[in-house]
Amino acid sequence: AQSVSQHNHHVILSEAASLELGCNYSYGGTVNLFWYVQYPGQHLQLLLKYFSGDPLVKGIKGFEAEFIKSKFSFNLRKPSVQWSDTAEYFCAVNALSQSSGYALNFGKGTSLLVTP
Amino acid sequence: NAGVTQTPKFQVLKTGQSMTLQCAQDMNHEYMSWYRQDPGMGLRLIHYSVGAGITDQGEVPNGYNVSRSTTEDFPLRLLSAAPSQTSVYFCASRLGGDTQYFGPGTRLTVL
């Protein structure tokens, strides 16, 4: 069965620090990749996505992610975090095959706290 | 577009009671799913549907039932609530492998 692993469960950074959150998946076929963000008390919102093409994708609020196919990774980055980036971040993988039910599988999430 | 709507927002049940969480979307998405979110567990897929009349089980289906009679609606039924079902429930929909849109969630407490 496919799985999605997020390396860090809790991350604490100071404002202006750089951020990198790791995400690896275990599925050998074609995938669509996503990062979602959940601000406190809210539902999940799309941060960015990768379907094909340039493996470096840019999302909202200065976030970007790089798809490295050989490493089955889709890491999220931001050069300089702000207090308003405090949230939970979820990596998600959509295996594009009928056998997988086209299910969207989520990692367990990374809780980011940005301190002033 | 209202997007994905869920009702109720909050619910308290006693053990053994049954209830239905409602979910509707107005984007003509064929794919709909239910997740539960628990601390440290991320989002776990309960049931999903790839179109009207077609449903299938996800990772944690026990104790839940679904049906999909229309493209728009995908209700989740708790047959006999248990404290282990205390959670936040999210409904979501999408078109094919594209972006998944989430509802605002239902916070359920089972006493």
Side-chain angles (χ1 to χ4, degrees):
Chain A
Q2 57 173 302
S3 64
V4 182
S5 299
Q6 292 184 235
H7 308 158
N8 313 95
H9 297 297
H10 298 278
V11 173
I12 302 175
L13 294 173
S14 300
E15 274 192 318
S18 64
L19 170 71
E20 180 158 5
L21 302 181
C23 173
N24 286 90
Y25 63 94
S26 63
Y27 184 71
T30 304
V31 293
N32 287 345
L33 301 163
F34 305 83
W35 275 97
Y36 283 85
V37 60
Q38 185 179 30
Y39 297 105
Q42 297 188 24
H43 62 285
L44 278 79
Q45 304 168 45
L46 181 71
L47 205 52
L48 48 77
K49 62 186 179 184
Y50 172 80
F51 289 176
S52 64
D54 188 345
L56 185 62
V57 293
K58 295 190 185 300
I60 60 172
K61 302 186 180 185
F63 285 91
E64 64 180 31
E66 184 176 15
F67 171 52
I68 303 179
K69 188 174 182 179
S70 61
K71 294 185 178 181
F72 298 91
S73 70
F74 190 55
N75 293 352
L76 180 72
R77 298 194 291 249
K78 185 171 184 179
S80 176
V81 294
Q82 301 173 321
W83 176 80
S84 58
D85 293 325
T86 293
E88 191 145 15
Y89 294 82
F90 293 93
C91 179
V93 178
N94 185 197
L96 301 178
S97 74
Q98 190 169 5
S99 62
S100 72
Y102 300 99
L104 185 63
N105 291 288
F106 284 84
K108 290 193 178 347
T110 297
S111 177
L112 172 66
L113 173 64
V114 180
T115 60
Chain B
N1 283 355
V4 181
T5 58
Q6 290 182 237
T7 56
K9 290 187 177 179
F10 301 94
Q11 183 71 51
V12 178
L13 293 177
K14 294 181 180 178
T15 297
Q17 287 185 313
S18 63
M19 78 159 295
T20 300
L21 279 62
Q22 301 293 343
C23 174
Q25 52 92 9
D26 61 358
M27 298 173 283
N28 203 31
H29 288 170
E30 82 273 299
Y31 198 106
M32 296 186 74
S33 49
W34 277 101
Y35 294 86
R36 59 177 289 174
Q37 184 179 25
D38 303 289
M41 303 294 289
L43 279 88
R44 292 182 291 171
L45 183 64
I46 304 171
H47 285 284
Y48 65 95
S49 167
V50 298
I54 306 170
T55 63
D56 206 346
Q57 296 180 349
E59 181 185 356
V60 288
N62 292 342
Y64 307 96
N65 207 354
V66 292
S67 60
R68 184 97 179 268
S69 57
T70 67
T71 300
E72 293 79 19
D73 300 298
F74 191 45
L76 178 72
R77 296 182 188 84
L78 277 70
L79 308 173
S80 177
S84 61
Q85 294 179 303
T86 293
S87 186
V88 181
Y89 292 84
F90 289 100
C91 179
S93 75
R94 71 174 197 263
L95 199 62
D98 209 331
T99 304
Q100 185 149 281
Y101 294 89
F102 287 85
T106 295
R107 187 174 294 274
L108 175 68
T109 301
V110 182
L111 303 174

